[in-house]
Amino acid sequence: MAQYPPVMRDLPAFLYGGDYNPEQWIREKDTVWKKDMELARRAGINTLSVGIFSWSMLEPREGEYRFEWLDEVMDMLAENGMKAVLATPSGARPPWMAEKYPEVLRVDGYRRRQLFGNRHNHCLSSPVYREKVRAINTLLAERYKDHPALGMWHVSNELGGECHCPLCQEKFRVWLKDRYGEIENLNDQWWNTFWSHRYSSFGQVESPSPIGEGCSHGLKLAWRRFVSDQFCEWYRWETEPLRRITPHIPCTTNLMEIFWDINYFDLGKLLDRVSWDNYPRWTNDDRDAEVAAYTAFNHDLMRGAGGGKPFMMMESSPSAVNWQEVNRLRSPGLLMLQGMQAVAHGSDTVQYFQFRKGRGSCEKFHGAVVSHDEREDNRVYREVCRVGERLKTLGDIPGSAPENRAAVLFDWDNRWILRDAQFGLNPDKGYEQTVIAHHGAMLRCGIGVDVIDQTSDLTGYRLVSGPMTYMLRPGFAEKVRAFVEAGGVYVSTYCSGWVNEEDLCFMGGFPGPLKDVLGVWDEETDALDETQRNHFTWQGKRYETKDFCALIHPEGAKALSEYEDCFYRGYPVLTENTFGKGKAYYIAARTGMDFLTDFYQTAIRQAGIAPLIPDLPRGFLCAERAGNKGRFLFVMNTVPRENTVCLPDCRDAETGDTVKGKTVFAPYEVKILRV
Ligand code: GLA
Ligand code: ZN
């Protein structure tokens, strides 16, 4: 049973709070700041993230630093018993820097230098930008290293994007030389004889561009890997002075769900705690069951990126956000569900964006703890208080973590490579949705699921699912083989085992090196349009297939069901292969949730995993955390209507009451049970 140290040394309980920009109210600080502290305290808030976009207030002119206001903020937090998640300001730079040093501005794919504006708009290769960031980070660390409010570093904000300037091109070429050694090797790996693409020197390689190279999959994949590596290198570089001057203070940067630009399994390894920004598109109707399942996937992904440790929900909205197409309010109980769901999956924090709404610019109507009315008797503030009160009573939970025996693979390199591949259905093959569907089907069976990638260790799991594992990294097939041989259950699907890590196809038939463990040969793959379906019957129930149908031949595996239509009627659609002590399944076609849920019931049983709650009714989700203070089972009604579930015999962790059998949950109600 794992028990992890608290997020911050001297704040062992849950962190509760959010992004706070007091500098936007500097002219009214005597009234506004004072009021903020009262409202924060009364809501149970113990942490505020400050300084996130403060550069132009900290260094209004080059070399002219103004830390006095931040000193006051830090003192004020300490006086009110709160901790600061203190940000480095590199998420947005001040106008003077762009004016004096245009090299800090990003260049887009069309090779156009951007103007000053927005945020996240800087070139990571620019020596000037690096020098400026290093200087201000060093000053911040020196100034606050012994400050009692300093709890954690929040490095930059939501790292992302890319720059195509000459400096970045040079860095890309160095990265390529490092990976491929010789240009001839790069040419071979990228299949550059195609369309006369053989380079004679690294100097000829340019990043992908809408006015240049857009077809070389080798190049595009290398660029994605380079951009992601550049952010990891940047994070290490930004934190260097923080780690040196304040080695006792943990560092993080806030991630964004299934974000495209960065391989979070790589970046996550560098963070003391993974933190992320959770903005579900809640609908306030029955579809919230799907929204909650999608959110659960993201929580599990973030925990996975951090190697299984508890993580931090760094941002979430206390009410409607303002940038989604439809920005629904949080109907009663939903804010509690949003916070408790994060905790259920391993978050040791509930943080909001934002603490107080600004008066101007583009986020003034984004949900906040303190609204423009500045009142305590409004609905949102009262709900925020309720969440704060509840967290205070859950002090045994932080530091514990889920102990799951099932995992689903979500691999960034596979994502990048599959998006470019041209076959079947273009442009989007639906990799992300497919992984999320498999994860969701397992959740619906009432088990906890980890999200891992191909570099993860499989030992310890009993069931591993790798939907659409099109690309196999070196050594991954061997890992799967050892896992199944030792008794594990592995699930594979269509579009698996086609290419190696450089996007070169496996010769000798798909699924390449997975052929023996899966016991099938995947000969061809058919694509269906939205109107077309095939069918199959399994265990007496008839199901539909859609989108992708692979035409496979068992080579060792046993066919469990066959296609019923089209010229491949009679070909297997589901196979089972016994390999060593384990089993490997191959699902040859894309199906609906009905089949996936039924299938995983069987696979889970086969793997010997006991559900946390058997026969979980629709609309419910559950998750468990275990630590040295006990095991906590979270049962969540994710829909805005009463819903009934049969609970195991145990005690309610909050009321101490015994619970047992059929129990009615209120809309969005979450119960936490001690098991
Ligand atoms: C992101 C950012 C915040 C804020 C919110 C709004 O997550 O990190 O600064 O813009 O979005 O939802
Ligand atoms: Zn650049």
Side-chain angles (χ1 to χ4, degrees):
M1 204 172 295
Q3 178 72 34
Y4 295 90
V7 178
M8 293 175 192
R9 271 186 324 171
D10 33 7
L11 205 65
F14 282 105
L15 268 51
Y16 190 48
D19 283 28
Y20 180 41
N21 299 104
E23 68 275 30
Q24 291 176 10
W25 302 90
I26 200 141
R27 300 195 200 287
E28 290 103 327
K29 71 183 171 69
D30 295 336
T31 50
V32 172
W33 291 12
K34 215 167 139 240
K35 175 133 202 162
D36 286 341
M37 288 301 104
E38 279 163 26
L39 290 169
R41 268 201 332 261
R42 273 206 279 280
I45 284 174
N46 56 21
T47 323
L48 289 165
S49 305
V50 293
I52 295 176
F53 298 113
S54 304
W55 205 332
S56 70
M57 289 293 281
L58 292 171
E59 192 182 357
R61 273 162 291 277
E62 187 174 13
E64 199 183 305
Y65 294 102
R66 290 271 176 279
F67 289 110
E68 297 76 12
W69 68 266
L70 187 55
D71 295 347
E72 258 188 81
V73 170
M74 294 290 279
D75 293 350
M76 174 173 84
L77 294 181
E79 278 155 26
N80 285 277
M82 287 183 220
K83 288 281 176 190
V85 175
L86 181 57
T88 65
S90 65
R93 34 165 186 71
W96 59 257
M97 205 189 296
E99 181 187 40
K100 183 154 177 209
Y101 309 103
E103 70 161 60
V104 303
L105 295 164
R106 275 186 191 168
V107 170
D108 72 5
Y110 290 92
R111 310 310 192 242
R112 297 175 299 204
R113 179 99 38 203
Q114 306 294 286
L115 304 178
F116 174 78
N118 307 325
R119 53 182 179 172
H120 313 298
N121 44 15
H122 34 267
C123 166
L124 296 186
S125 305
S126 154
V128 173
Y129 185 63
R130 286 192 174 231
E131 180 200 311
K132 298 292 176 201
V133 170
R134 181 56 65 88
I136 198 153
N137 287 7
T138 307
L139 288 170
L140 280 169
E142 291 288 2
R143 194 168 186 103
Y144 300 111
K145 64 175 189 286
D146 298 319
H147 199 287
L150 180 63
M152 185 165 206
W153 290 109
H154 180 299
V155 174
S156 196
N157 190 73
E158 294 190 335
L159 299 172
E162 59 191 52
C163 174
H164 298 260
C165 81
L167 295 167
C168 288
Q169 301 291 348
E170 252 337 285
K171 270 187 97 178
F172 180 42
R173 290 176 193 129
V174 170
W175 185 95
L176 291 172
K177 254 183 237 160
D178 230 48
R179 183 176 175 99
Y180 297 100
E182 301 295 327
I183 196 68
E184 285 306 334
N185 180 39
L186 177 148
N187 283 326
D188 292 346
Q189 299 298 334
W190 294 5
W191 208 247
N192 276 349
T193 312
F194 179 74
W195 288 0
S196 194
H197 270 48
R198 291 195 85 88
Y199 299 107
S200 49
S201 77
F202 281 98
Q204 294 160 354
V205 187
E206 276 270 343
S207 61
S209 165
I211 51 167
E213 185 57 72
C215 288
S216 164
H217 292 171
L219 169 74
K220 289 172 81 183
L221 177 61
W223 174 251
R224 289 266 50 94
R225 286 175 168 152
F226 162 74
V227 170
S228 181
D229 283 1
Q230 211 188 9
F231 279 111
C232 292
E233 187 270 333
W234 171 264
Y235 178 82
R236 262 189 246 113
W237 192 89
E238 258 225 73
T239 48
E240 191 280 327
L242 313 178
R243 295 197 185 285
R244 183 166 39 80
I245 301 163
T246 59
H248 55 295
I249 301 293
C251 301
T252 190
T253 185
N254 47 343
L255 312 185
M256 293 167 277
E257 44 188 272
I258 54 166
F259 186 57
W260 178 253
D261 302 357
I262 305 176
N263 180 340
Y264 281 164
F265 284 96
D266 287 345
L267 183 58
K269 291 192 179 78
L270 308 176
L271 312 182
D272 293 320
R273 281 295 165 100
V274 163
S275 67
W276 83 285
D277 301 342
N278 177 28
Y279 292 101
R281 288 171 159 76
W282 297 115
T283 53
N284 287 343
D285 58 29
D286 242 50
R287 289 170 299 170
D288 275 342
E290 274 87 66
V291 181
Y294 173 74
T295 306
F297 174 82
N298 282 302
H299 286 309
D300 289 342
L301 173 65
M302 294 300 151
R303 195 182 63 252
K309 285 200 290 271
F311 58 93
M312 305 173 67
M313 180 163 77
M314 187 62 95
E315 295 179 22
S316 61
S317 182
S319 183
V321 298
N322 72 333
W323 49 264
Q324 293 171 351
E325 314 76 60
V326 179
N327 299 284
R328 293 224 61 179
L329 297 175
R330 302 279 178 268
S331 64
L334 186 49
L335 187 64
M336 184 65 84
L337 170 70
Q338 179 179 280
M340 290 303 133
Q341 188 189 21
V343 172
H345 287 264
S347 179
D348 279 354
T349 78
V350 175
Q351 316 272 100
Y352 300 117
F353 180 90
Q354 48 195 336
F355 178 73
R356 176 187 270 275
K357 284 182 190 175
R359 284 189 72 189
S361 210
C362 69
E363 286 182 335
K364 60 182 172 295
F365 297 125
H366 190 293
V369 174
V370 180
S371 191
H372 297 128
D373 60 30
E374 300 182 290
R375 293 171 64 128
E376 288 170 55
D377 56 355
N378 66 40
R379 206 177 56 87
V380 173
Y381 182 79
R382 284 200 304 243
E383 294 251 5
V384 168
C385 291
R386 276 196 281 279
V387 176
E389 268 159 39
R390 192 168 187 187
L391 286 173
K392 276 190 210 151
T393 67
L394 301 176
D396 285 349
I397 295 178
S400 62
E403 285 180 330
N404 297 325
R405 293 286 165 256
V408 66
L409 284 155
F410 183 74
D411 194 284
W412 252 268
D413 288 46
N414 189 56
R415 246 184 118 182
W416 291 329
I417 207 165
L418 197 47
R419 186 65 65 90
D420 273 341
Q422 288 175 294
F423 68 86
L425 295 172
N426 292 317
D428 188 1
K429 314 267 176 299
Y431 173 64
E432 291 82 356
Q433 294 88 311
T434 303
V435 174
I436 291 164
H438 282 249
H439 173 272
M442 289 195 246
L443 285 191
R444 282 189 192 177
C445 298
I447 62 165
V449 185
D450 286 352
V451 180
I452 59 174
D453 81 349
Q454 289 185 30
T455 67
S456 307
D457 186 3
L458 305 185
T459 54
Y461 292 115
R462 306 184 67 88
L463 170 67
V464 173
S465 168
M468 297 181 82
T469 307
Y470 165 78
M471 178 214 68
L472 303 181
R473 297 183 193 238
F476 179 67
E478 288 70 33
K479 262 202 287 201
V480 173
R481 197 174 294 129
F483 169 74
V484 180
E485 231 161 20
V489 173
Y490 186 76
V491 180
S492 184
T493 72
Y494 57 94
C495 297
S496 288
W498 287 25
V499 301
N500 72 6
E501 80 286 2
E502 290 293 339
D503 197 36
L504 293 172
C505 293
F506 290 119
M507 302 303 289
F510 302 154
L514 288 175
K515 241 187 301 160
D516 60 344
V517 61
L518 297 175
V520 296
W521 164 40
D522 176 349
E523 185 189 351
E524 292 180 280
T525 298
D526 196 13
L528 310 188
D529 71 25
E530 311 92 74
T531 66
Q532 297 173 315
R533 297 286 182 268
N534 205 316
H535 297 89
F536 64 101
T537 303
W538 179 61
Q539 295 185 342
K541 211 165 145 187
R542 194 157 186 259
Y543 303 96
E544 273 185 0
T545 78
K546 55 184 179 178
D547 301 349
F548 286 106
C549 296
L551 279 53
I552 62 169
H553 305 274
E555 293 192 343
K558 175 167 84 188
L560 301 180
S561 175
E562 288 94 29
Y563 291 107
E564 291 174 3
D565 314 303
C566 203
F567 68 90
Y568 38 95
R569 174 198 172 114
Y571 277 64
V573 65
L574 176 67
T575 61
E576 180 190 272
N577 194 37
T578 305
F579 190 81
K581 292 191 203 139
K583 298 256 186 247
Y585 292 94
Y586 194 83
I587 306 172
R590 186 170 287 165
T591 69
M593 280 308 266
D594 54 347
F595 169 73
L596 288 181
T597 313
D598 294 344
F599 168 76
Y600 278 107
Q601 295 281 10
T602 302
I604 286 162
R605 217 174 306 124
Q606 176 71 46
I609 303 174
L612 299 167
I613 295 186
D615 305 317
L616 200 63
R618 213 187 120 58
F620 277 103
L621 287 176
C622 59
E624 192 186 70
R625 294 179 68 163
N628 59 14
K629 304 231 176 82
R631 300 183 90 85
F632 300 90
L633 173 61
F634 290 71
V635 187
M636 298 164 269
N637 178 19
T638 65
V639 289
R641 57 174 162 81
E642 280 191 354
N643 206 1
T644 308
V645 63
C646 193
L647 296 176
D649 288 7
C650 54
R651 266 189 318 122
D652 186 306
E654 294 165 283
T655 62
D657 299 346
T658 31
V659 293
K660 185 182 174 164
K662 263 190 156 191
T663 310
V664 181
F665 277 55
Y668 295 128
E669 186 180 350
V670 178
K671 282 192 193 293
I672 306 171
L673 312 175
R674 255 182 203 277
V675 285

